[in-house]
């Protein structure tokens, strides 16, 4: 068995232990989706992360709150 197949088998075994696969067909579909996902460029990753940060941006603190903490 090649090293890649050994890793896939370990992944499958771990997923089964966590009971994440409700059916073999659904599990195989997810594994294939992950295995065949395109590799992102650094620019694509940067854009993705910036978008995620924008979605969960922290609310701005009121101006008077800054003054209270800096005393």
């Amino acid at each position: 068995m090649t090293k890649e197949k050994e890793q896939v088998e370990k992944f499958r075994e771990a997923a089964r232990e966590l009971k994440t696969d409700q059916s073999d067909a659904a599990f195989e579909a997810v594994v294939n989706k992950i295995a065949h996902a395109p590799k992102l460029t650094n620019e694509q990753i940067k854009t993705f992360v910036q978008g995620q940060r924008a979605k969960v941006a922290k609310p701005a603190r009121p101006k008077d709150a800054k003054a209270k903490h800096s005393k």
Side-chain angles (χ1 to χ4, degrees), residues 2-56:
T2 66
K3 192 170 194 172
E4 183 177 308
K5 284 190 177 186
E6 289 175 2
Q7 186 174 2
V8 169
E9 288 303 316
K10 287 179 185 178
F11 175 79
R12 288 178 179 154
E13 186 176 304
R16 286 188 179 107
E17 286 176 12
L18 295 172
K19 298 182 182 178
T20 56
D21 61 327
Q22 296 175 343
S23 72
D24 286 343
F27 180 74
E28 290 298 326
V30 172
V31 169
N32 285 332
K33 182 178 179 181
I34 294 169
H36 295 102
K39 182 170 171 60
L40 297 177
T41 65
N42 286 340
E43 191 61 34
Q44 289 171 319
I45 294 169
K46 183 178 176 182
T47 303
F48 174 76
V49 170
Q50 289 172 343
Q52 293 298 311
R53 286 183 183 161
K55 287 181 183 177
V56 292

